[in-house]
Amino acid sequence: MDKQELAEKILELKKKKNAVILAHSYQDIEVQALADFTGDSLELSRKAAGTDADMIVFCGVDFMAESAKILSPDKKVLLPASEAKCPMARMADAEGLRELKKENPDAVVITYINSPAEVKAESDCICTSSNAVRIVEHYKDRKIIFAPDRNLGNYCKIMTGADMIIWDGYCYVHDEFSIGDIYIAKHEHPGCILLVHPEAPADVLEQADFIGSTSQITKFVEDNIADMDENAGVIIGTEVEIARILQLKFPNKRIYPLADHAVCLQMKKTSPDDVYNSLLNEKEEIFVSEEVRKKALKALNKMLELSK
Ligand code: 13P
Ligand code: SF4
């Protein structure tokens, strides 16, 4: 099948099965082109919670499809590439979190959406990179346990002054950014400002002109790039797909990834063929036990309530 045929077949199946395709903005451009909605973790959670489709095909990684199932239990949720599992999400475990809670009985637990359902179920509130500071701010009069991303946790601690116990997890894509990358990028692209995702380490964030989630970075560029002259431009400190897509949108502007090594291999596991096969065979279906789901839903709903 050529690309056009494949896209038509996907559209046909989507209509027949009343399905919606959601794609995270780190997915390959060809996969994003097949989606009804693209965006960051918070935007896609909102879409998953609000859709009236019968089936959600989630082009992303495991915790995203799982969150969609928690929010929309009556829908069939499919992850087209079953091996697309976020390594950071797996750094947190429910057993360890329960231990930490026992040692700190008065603490409130805020968990990053990049986590397994069982960990969400042990949490008071979930956050994403676009609302983490706001949510920590909300709870800052109490001691906070934050899991699993140490960089996002530290960033929230610096921004709010909250008393936080931070899990030692990290995203290998963003944690790899270094001062050396910034030095090289600024040397190669003089006059450009630096935009960085809060999963990056503190010394990298310190050098940023703007810090935000994937959608916040995208929006910043969309809102500001038209006014930049030919000597100015942007260096994008997150997964490389964001800079690629922005460069396609603004072909005459100077847009560069902070480093070519910033590739999320797990996000790249989904292909257009996988999307087609997923819709056709209704695989891989995501399941969450009802006991875990109910508890995790409370924490996810708290996040949605606090980020209105
Ligand atoms: P956001 O989509 O919230 O920016 O998070 C990035 C990410 O790493 C998703 O896995
Ligand atoms: Fe996980 Fe990082 Fe990939 Fe996001 S970019 S899915 S946090 S490994």
Side-chain angles (χ1 to χ4, degrees), residues 8 19 30 43 55 93 102 121 123 132 134 149 155 175 185 190 211 215 236 248 254 270-271 275 279-280 288 305:
E8 281 164 16
E30 303 84 71
E43 290 167 333
M55 189 184 276
D93 65 288
K102 229 187 269 169
S123 312
R134 190 166 159 184
D149 188 8
Y155 173 59
D175 196 60
I211 298 170
S215 293
I236 309 287
L248 284 175
R254 299 175 68 215
T270 314
S271 67
V275 179
L279 267 168
L280 185 67
V288 180
E305 181 198 315

Side-chain angles (χ1 to χ4, degrees), residues 184-200:
I184 294 168
K186 290 229 164 181
H187 179 75
E188 286 179 353
H189 314 300
C192 289
I193 58 166
L194 176 65
L195 286 65
V196 182
H197 194 281
E199 287 176 10

Side-chain angles (χ1 to χ4, degrees), residues 24 26 40-41 63-64 112 114 128-129 174 197 199 213-214 267:
H24 189 269
Y26 293 164
D40 69 2
S41 309
F63 73 81
M64 296 179 172
Y112 194 26
N114 301 40
T128 74
S129 56
H174 293 87
H197 194 281
E199 287 176 10
S213 73
T214 50
M267 283 284 188

Side-chain angles (χ1 to χ4, degrees), residues 24 26 61 63-64 85-89 112 114 170-174 199 239 263-267:
H24 189 269
Y26 293 164
V61 289
F63 73 81
M64 296 179 172
K85 298 177 197 300
C86 167
M88 169 164 52
Y112 194 26
N114 301 40
Y170 61 91
C171 160
Y172 75 95
V173 180
H174 293 87
E199 287 176 10
E239 216 271 352
V263 177
C264 177
L265 299 174
Q266 289 69 27
M267 283 284 188

Side-chain angles (χ1 to χ4, degrees), residues 6-230:
L6 190 67
E8 281 164 16
K9 293 254 184 226
I10 288 173
L11 197 63
E12 226 172 81
L13 278 171
K14 222 174 57 174
K15 275 194 189 143
K16 191 172 146 201
K17 302 196 177 195
N18 189 25
V20 65
I21 302 180
L22 307 181
H24 189 269
S25 35
Y26 293 164
Q27 292 283 298
D28 273 330
I29 290 174
E30 303 84 71
V31 172
Q32 292 196 47
L34 298 169
D36 297 292
F37 300 104
T38 60
D40 69 2
S41 309
L42 180 62
E43 290 167 333
L44 294 179
S45 298
R46 283 197 179 117
K47 289 288 176 202
T51 180
D52 54 11
D54 295 316
M55 189 184 276
I56 299 172
V57 180
F58 213 120
C59 304
V61 289
D62 52 354
F63 73 81
M64 296 179 172
E66 221 176 46
S67 301
K69 185 67 186 177
I70 294 166
L71 289 161
S72 283
D74 300 333
K75 316 215 180 289
K76 191 172 258 194
V77 178
L78 305 172
L79 181 68
S82 57
E83 68 281 18
K85 298 177 197 300
C86 167
M88 169 164 52
R90 286 152 178 268
M91 291 176 190
D93 65 288
E95 184 66 37
L97 188 51
R98 276 194 290 271
E99 284 291 307
L100 211 49
K101 280 166 67 174
K102 229 187 269 169
E103 288 161 23
N104 301 278
D106 298 330
V108 65
V109 180
I110 302 178
T111 297
Y112 194 26
I113 197 161
N114 301 40
S115 55
E118 291 74 15
V119 172
K120 288 186 177 76
E122 292 294 331
S123 312
D124 297 292
C125 188
I126 306 303
C127 69
T128 74
S129 56
S130 60
N131 60 21
V133 172
R134 190 166 159 184
I135 285 174
V136 169
E137 183 74 39
H138 177 82
Y139 288 105
K140 79 167 181 199
D141 294 337
R142 293 175 62 186
K143 187 173 211 164
I144 294 170
I145 295 173
F146 188 95
D149 188 8
R150 65 184 180 210
N151 292 331
L152 183 64
N154 275 323
Y155 173 59
C156 291
K157 189 175 170 160
I158 291 167
M159 295 301 285
T160 62
D163 179 11
M164 294 170 73
I165 300 166
I166 300 171
W167 199 277
D168 196 22
Y170 61 91
C171 160
Y172 75 95
V173 180
H174 293 87
D175 196 60
E176 275 283 293
F177 285 133
S178 66
I179 294 296
D181 290 330
I182 297 177
Y183 182 81
I184 294 168
K186 290 229 164 181
H187 179 75
E188 286 179 353
H189 314 300
C192 289
I193 58 166
L194 176 65
L195 286 65
V196 182
H197 194 281
E199 287 176 10
D203 58 346
V204 170
L205 293 179
E206 262 171 35
Q207 303 297 318
D209 299 291
F210 177 84
I211 298 170
S213 73
T214 50
S215 293
Q216 288 165 342
I217 289 176
T218 300
K219 188 169 182 322
F220 180 96
V221 175
E222 288 170 346
D223 290 350
N224 293 290
I225 201 130
D227 299 331
M228 290 184 187
D229 65 33
E230 68 267 24

Side-chain angles (χ1 to χ4, degrees), residues 284-300:
E284 285 290 321
E285 188 170 358
I286 300 297
F287 298 99
V288 180
S289 83
E290 199 49 20
E291 193 193 340
V292 168
R293 192 192 71 78
K294 276 191 189 147
K295 290 195 209 159
L297 179 65
K298 255 177 103 176
L300 267 168

